[in-house]
Amino acid sequence: MSNHTQRRAARQARNSRIVKRMWYTFGAFVGLMALLFVLIYNGVIGYMPAIEQLRNPTDKFASTIYAAGGEEMGRFYRSKGNRVYVDYDQLSKHLSNALIATEDARFDNHSGIDVRALGRAIIKRVLMGQKSAGGGSTITQQLAKQLYSPESSNIFERALQKPIEWVIAVKLERYYTKDEIIKMYFNQFDFLNNAVGIKTAAFVYFGKDPSQLNLQESATLVGMCKNPSYYNPLRYSERTRERRNVVLDQMVKAGFLSEADAEATKQLPLVLSYHRVDHNDGLAPYFREELRRVMMAKKPEEKDYPKWNRQAYVDDSAAWVCNPLYGWCNKNTKPDGSHYDIYSDGLKIYTTIDERMQTYAEQAVRKHMSKTLQPAFLRERGGTKNPYTNNRAELSAAAKQSLINNAIKRSDRYRMLKKQGKSEEEIMSNFNTPTTMRLFSYDGDYETTMTPRDSLLYTKSFLRCSMMSMDPVTGYVKAYVGGPDFRFFKYDMVSKGRRQIGSTVKPFVYSKAVNDYGCTPCTMRPGGAPNIHWYREVWNPRGGGGSMTLKSALTASVNTISAGFMKGTSPNWIEQQGYAVYPPSELAKWMHSFGITSHLEPVPALSLGVSEITLREMVAAYSAFANGGMRVEPVYVTRICDNKGNILAEFTGQQTEIMSEDTYYKMLDMLMSVVNSGTGRRLRAQYNITAEMGGKTGTTNFNSDGWFMGFTPELVTGVWVGGEERYIHFVSTAMGQGAEAALPILALYMQQVYKDAALPYTQSTKFQFPKGYNPCQDELGRLGGYGGGGGDTGGGGGDAIMEGAFD
């Protein structure tokens, strides 16, 4: 054998060994890969969700809040969780076509892994180094990554990430149809700008539902799927338009679109209709925040409440027992035994709020506050740098400085600087150093340069307010406004803020006398200082006049008549003459029977409204004066459903009988007189409201609080206006009294409600008295007739003189 032949044979043998080794290596690689996939498939290595989790993936959907008419009010969600479930048949056909054409052209022909696309990606990217060669991930793989891929903490986990996604994709294809995979993909994808999921994205970028998206809108959103940050239409309009056009070309290649239609659409500009989604925006933000607090409340534990706020523990404990909505998420469990979470369980919460009435309430508040009260207050205070009273008898200079210092220490800026280890001197220097900030204005918030200290005083210079309107029979809350602007004034003055109620307490005083002591609207009461002995002191509120009927006294809001019902620690001249009196403790108990849970100090001044009570409590209490003596608990929600629409809970108002029917008619007669000819007469004279209505004004010492409680047979509404602190108020009673500060808000609201023909309220609705009913029947023999005419203002002087907790 020649050397040449030998060398050739040797080469062939060597080549044969190399080929065999390559085949062995390839076989070993295939075997190892098969073993790896088997181990991954069975969860031996890497992360593999359980079969049950694959069949029922944990979808975190935002809960949606609806108004009574079905309009969406807002959503509850955590960061990057503003996702709302949609079904496949709620998607525009352009969406699924664009997604398949762009991301996975052979979607209908593979079982989770597109081997051709994967091989192409490996050859072009790995072997040929082409970065723009396209990816090999199918739609199902991308969904697997969205649903189940945990964060990789080391190189080994990163190496396993793709194989794990392949295996999960194969499993997903076993459990779901192609349409379901498309639906799940669109529900999961984060389109940025608080637009998680296709339903939210369609609204945020185009103001539409997914089913309404046209071709170019669908192509734009699908184009974002490649890289939503890079193709963010709010920041990179031209870049996003170009990406949209690429999607259109892909749809032509896939046969979903003709070239003519694609070219025509590509010529269109990128047109957005951006709707910012934020917890602070939208209808009834104070109500939505209160609803969140109520539904997510945990069972109250006294140790979790500071000693100075024990009242909150009392209120929350009562709510936990009596209010089925309070703590609903923590009282009820899902089928898996876990508690509900409004941020991720996709609940549908149907509220009692009427969208139009809520809008009218917000407009009424803004109109009166911005056009009348706030300008008048700033004129009186000389600007925004000195919101506090200058009355040294009420507030000394040292006390004022103490209030300012306390406000500084309660601020977020102070806590942040303290956490950074800054000294008190450095912190005060910071608060006196001008900086750029954004401030509230009724003309629109704006940026300016101001010291943080001055910004605190600026914010305090804005009067606060609250309003709640409710059906007195069902308890359905129709409108809820907790302040002038939720973005800047988060504290809710409907359900959280407690303020002295002034003369709005008088209907409770009088109804106790009528219900338990046989008084009528025509019962005569002595005028003058009552001289109530209370331990070592003698209490005499201001205001007076001669003897008058109860109806006249309530119509004119005479303080001495209300105070005269209080029994002191030793008899006074009123009691000695045989007039009905009762202890302050009985009044407190009577008021609690109206559903008032706030602490009521049993002192004579309780009869003039010195106790601090929330507006929500007052509206609920006044429902008894509009509803035949039956008090109804406010209802926020009618039903709660899961994300498929199955009803989980339903809610109705709970009514409690407070007073006899006879007492109700007598109180109604007197409270209607307040509106017809008393301190609430501006509703008639100035605002031309003709509807039958009862009501009561209230003003506290130094005009710190202005109240008006009004009711018709169909609505009971309360309004409060005041400063952030008691020492921030009008000097002028003409502006600070309830009839001027609060009543106009209710009047403006009712005007709009009655103008809206679509609402079921008319000014012709009447209170129903028994035929021939005379509220003074019991007094006829003694008085010789019905002498409590509504025009008698007895104590004289009108709103300014007659109102006040101590006036």
Side-chain angles (χ1 to χ4, degrees), residues 123-136:
I123 292 172
K124 289 188 175 183
R125 281 178 175 268
V126 178
L127 301 180
M128 301 176 64
Q130 296 180 10
K131 293 184 179 181
S132 60

Side-chain angles (χ1 to χ4, degrees), residues 25 55 72 140 213 236 318 440 450 638 648:
T25 302
R55 287 177 174 168
E72 183 177 323
T140 317
L213 293 172
Y236 309 112
F440 170 75
M450 184 182 290
T638 56
L648 302 174

Side-chain angles (χ1 to χ4, degrees), residues 567-622:
K567 180 181 178 66
T569 51
S570 60
N572 66 346
W573 65 273
I574 295 177
E575 185 178 357
Q576 289 170 348
Q577 291 186 26
Y579 288 95
V581 295
Y582 56 88
S585 59
E586 283 194 20
L587 175 59
K589 185 177 179 180
W590 177 249
M591 291 173 66
H592 283 312
S593 75
F594 280 79
I596 293 172
T597 59
S598 293
H599 175 68
L600 304 174
E601 192 68 26
V603 296
L606 178 61
S607 64
L608 296 185
V610 296
S611 289
E612 297 182 338
I613 301 174
T614 66
L615 179 71
R616 180 186 181 278
E617 292 174 276
M618 289 296 289
V619 171
Y622 265 68

Side-chain angles (χ1 to χ4, degrees), residues 467-472 477 479 494 508 594 596 613-625 631-632 634 707-711 715-719:
M467 176 183 179
M468 178 171 142
S469 187
M470 181 182 83
D471 185 312
V477 175
V494 171
F508 304 125
F594 280 79
I596 293 172
I613 301 174
T614 66
L615 179 71
R616 180 186 181 278
E617 292 174 276
M618 289 296 289
V619 171
Y622 265 68
S623 69
F625 298 123
R631 183 255 187 198
V632 65
W707 290 79
F708 186 71
M709 305 297 301
F711 59 90
L715 289 173
V716 55
T717 304
V719 179

Side-chain angles (χ1 to χ4, degrees), residues 33-303:
M33 290 301 295
L35 178 62
L36 177 66
F37 274 90
V38 170
L39 294 175
I40 291 174
Y41 191 92
N42 291 284
V44 177
I45 61 174
Y47 169 76
M48 181 56 54
I51 292 176
E52 180 59 28
Q53 193 174 350
L54 285 167
R55 287 177 174 168
N56 298 288
T58 303
D59 289 326
K60 294 183 178 180
F61 293 114
S63 292
T64 307
I65 316 152
Y66 297 97
E71 306 88 356
E72 183 177 323
M73 292 172 58
R75 298 172 189 168
F76 295 128
Y77 56 89
R78 293 188 178 90
S79 176
K80 295 188 177 181
N82 187 18
R83 179 189 293 112
V84 178
Y85 177 86
V86 293
D87 228 325
Y88 182 80
D89 58 9
Q90 296 173 289
L91 299 175
S92 165
K93 66 175 182 179
H94 300 303
L95 281 170
S96 57
N97 289 344
L99 183 66
I100 292 171
T102 308
E103 297 293 330
D104 192 354
R106 283 178 290 278
F107 176 68
D108 291 324
N109 301 316
H110 63 68
S111 298
I113 302 175
D114 186 346
V115 178
R116 286 173 56 188
L118 182 61
R120 181 196 66 227
I122 291 174
I123 292 172
K124 289 188 175 183
R125 281 178 175 268
V126 178
L127 301 180
M128 301 176 64
Q130 296 180 10
K131 293 184 179 181
S132 60
S137 291
T138 63
I139 291 173
T140 317
Q141 287 174 240
Q142 294 177 46
L143 175 62
K145 183 176 183 179
Q146 291 179 34
L147 285 174
Y148 302 110
S149 289
E151 292 292 327
S152 302
S153 57
N154 55 57
I155 189 170
F156 177 72
E157 289 182 354
R158 284 194 293 274
L160 287 176
Q161 202 164 32
K162 275 296 179 185
I164 289 173
E165 288 172 12
W166 295 338
V167 173
I168 293 176
V170 171
K171 287 190 173 187
L172 287 174
E173 292 272 352
R174 288 178 55 191
Y175 296 126
Y176 298 99
T177 67
K178 294 291 186 178
D179 288 353
E180 288 173 332
I181 290 171
I182 292 288
K183 171 197 71 177
M184 293 167 68
Y185 181 95
F186 276 122
N187 277 323
Q188 289 293 327
F189 197 84
D190 185 352
F191 292 89
L192 298 187
N193 300 303
N194 253 340
V196 185
I198 192 63
K199 183 173 178 65
T200 309
F203 174 77
V204 167
Y205 293 112
F206 302 108
K208 295 182 177 181
D209 281 332
S211 61
Q212 300 171 325
L213 293 172
N214 60 31
L215 175 60
Q216 67 148 331
E217 294 163 346
S218 298
T220 299
L221 291 177
V222 169
M224 293 178 67
C225 293
K226 183 175 183 180
N227 187 331
S229 296
Y230 189 78
Y231 297 110
N232 183 342
L234 298 182
R235 298 186 63 185
Y236 309 112
S237 177
E238 183 58 27
R239 181 190 295 172
T240 306
R241 192 184 71 84
E242 291 173 357
R243 176 61 185 169
R244 178 202 69 184
N245 292 347
V246 170
V247 173
L248 294 171
D249 288 337
Q250 293 298 109
M251 292 180 73
V252 172
K253 289 181 182 179
F256 291 124
L257 193 65
S258 69
E259 288 191 16
D261 288 340
E263 287 303 317
T265 308
K266 286 162 68 174
Q267 301 309 310
L268 298 175
L270 182 68
V271 179
L272 302 177
S273 178
Y274 179 61
H275 294 73
R276 194 170 81 109
V277 177
D278 189 278
H279 289 298
N280 294 324
D281 297 327
L283 195 69
Y286 288 98
F287 173 83
R288 286 186 279 117
E289 172 58 21
E290 174 65 3
L291 181 61
R292 181 204 63 78
R293 184 190 73 84
V294 167
M295 288 188 63
M296 288 294 287
K298 296 181 179 179
K299 186 176 182 179
E301 299 287 346
E302 191 168 7
K303 62 180 176 61

